[in-house]
Amino acid sequence: MNPTVERCVEHLLAAKTRQEVWDASQSAFADLGFEDVYYGLKKREEQQFGIYLSDTLSNWQRDYRAEGDSQFDPLFNYTSVMPDQFFTGIEFSGDYPFLSTRDLAVIQRGADHNLYAGVAMIMPLRGADQVGGWHLMYRGDRAAFSDLYCHQSKWLAQIAAFAHQSFSRLEQGGVPLHVKLTKREAETLCWLAAGLRTDQIADKMGIKPVTVDLHIRKARERLGARTREQATAIALTSGLISI
């Protein structure tokens, strides 16, 4: 596991408050090159709630609220038709021809505060009326962002998933997860948590890569996770695996 991620996970597992979760995750994202971080949850058709922002985003937040952007933010409004991760910001707006004039106005306000690019990471939420997740913003052009993201994407996804699950754990009051993993599924997630790729896990376990993928898929289904990172985070914070 990446040292930054490992330190972050240790803090998240020990966190007793939401603020401790936020502090640990924000610090880890900053270490990986993303100081402008946003974590938000929203009920469809309602105002935003459960929002955390880096101190660096205070000016943007002021305009965001003044303009009522939480009602029209494409980050929330298009989550049902977007993948678990997608690029954001004015530098990538041309990639999404379906964006409306209002959508582009919200995005432009971010650019007015030098937030030109970013990545959204959609998280699994309880209830179909909720949407949300992480938004990591970047004060640089598309090329610079893409280069940074290419090198850090795996670790960013792990931190996002671990932190989100830690928020959920505290919100649910530590209610135990009544799920069991097979020995192979648990072992596979342990290797994933360590940062190994599918082919490396297959070599460690003496099985075929397609079998590794099968174990991961089954674990995701049991845990109700959208991604392998989320499955690992749920299993780790629930005590089903350890690092």
Side-chain angles (χ1 to χ4, degrees):
M1 183 179 288
N2 176 285
T4 294
V5 179
E6 188 169 5
R7 287 193 300 272
C8 180
V9 170
E10 289 176 355
H11 288 305
L12 292 174
L13 291 175
K16 297 296 190 297
T17 67
R18 293 179 180 85
Q19 187 62 45
E20 289 176 341
V21 172
W22 169 249
D23 290 343
S25 54
Q26 183 184 14
S27 176
F29 283 131
D31 286 347
L32 296 179
F34 288 87
E35 295 183 353
D36 302 304
V37 181
Y38 170 107
Y39 177 78
L41 308 177
K42 181 179 183 292
K43 284 189 175 181
R44 299 183 191 275
E45 311 301 331
E46 294 184 14
Q47 292 294 320
Q48 199 164 318
F49 70 100
I51 181 173
Y52 290 84
L53 299 104
S54 302
D55 291 340
T56 56
L57 295 175
S58 58
N59 289 334
W60 169 80
Q61 181 186 20
R62 180 195 61 219
D63 290 350
Y64 186 86
R65 288 179 171 173
E67 297 292 338
D69 286 344
S70 62
Q71 298 181 57
F72 310 107
D73 192 336
L75 178 67
F76 294 114
N77 293 340
Y78 294 109
T79 53
S80 61
V81 296
M82 298 298 284
D84 295 318
Q85 292 187 27
F86 57 93
F87 298 144
T88 64
I90 200 71
E91 288 284 309
F92 291 94
S93 59
D95 294 0
Y96 310 112
F98 53 81
L99 292 173
S100 68
T101 300
R102 188 184 293 275
D103 296 332
L104 293 172
V106 175
I107 295 170
Q108 181 58 53
R109 274 188 279 278
D112 292 342
H113 291 280
N114 301 318
L115 303 169
Y116 302 115
V119 58
M121 300 181 178
I122 307 305
M123 297 289 122
L125 301 172
R126 293 184 299 170
D129 66 329
Q130 296 183 10
V131 292
W134 294 91
H135 192 189
L136 312 182
M137 305 180 191
Y138 187 70
R139 299 173 186 267
D141 62 19
R142 180 173 182 143
F145 165 81
S146 298
D147 182 63
L148 176 62
Y149 180 78
C150 179
H151 288 89
Q152 307 288 23
S153 59
K154 179 198 299 185
W155 314 122
L156 295 171
Q158 284 193 347
I159 293 170
F162 287 133
H164 173 73
Q165 187 57 32
S166 294
F167 276 124
S168 298
R169 171 177 58 82
L170 292 172
E171 180 183 347
Q172 295 168 19
V175 177
L177 186 66
H178 298 293
V179 173
K180 289 185 178 180
L181 299 173
T182 68
K183 182 179 180 180
R184 285 298 210 185
E185 290 165 358
E187 183 179 359
T188 301
L189 293 185
C190 283
W191 289 122
L192 276 179
L196 271 63
R197 301 188 307 270
T198 297
D199 58 338
Q200 294 173 317
I201 296 173
D203 184 60
K204 289 282 188 181
M205 297 177 65
I207 57 180
K208 296 180 179 180
V210 67
T211 306
V212 172
D213 288 334
L214 177 62
H215 289 319
I216 295 173
R217 180 171 62 82
K218 289 293 187 182
R220 282 177 50 207
E221 291 173 353
R222 294 182 199 277
L223 297 169
R226 294 174 59 142
T227 67
R228 55 179 55 194
E229 290 85 8
Q230 290 167 10
T232 303
I234 294 170
L236 186 59
T237 57
S238 301
L240 296 175
I241 63 172
S242 59
I243 58 172

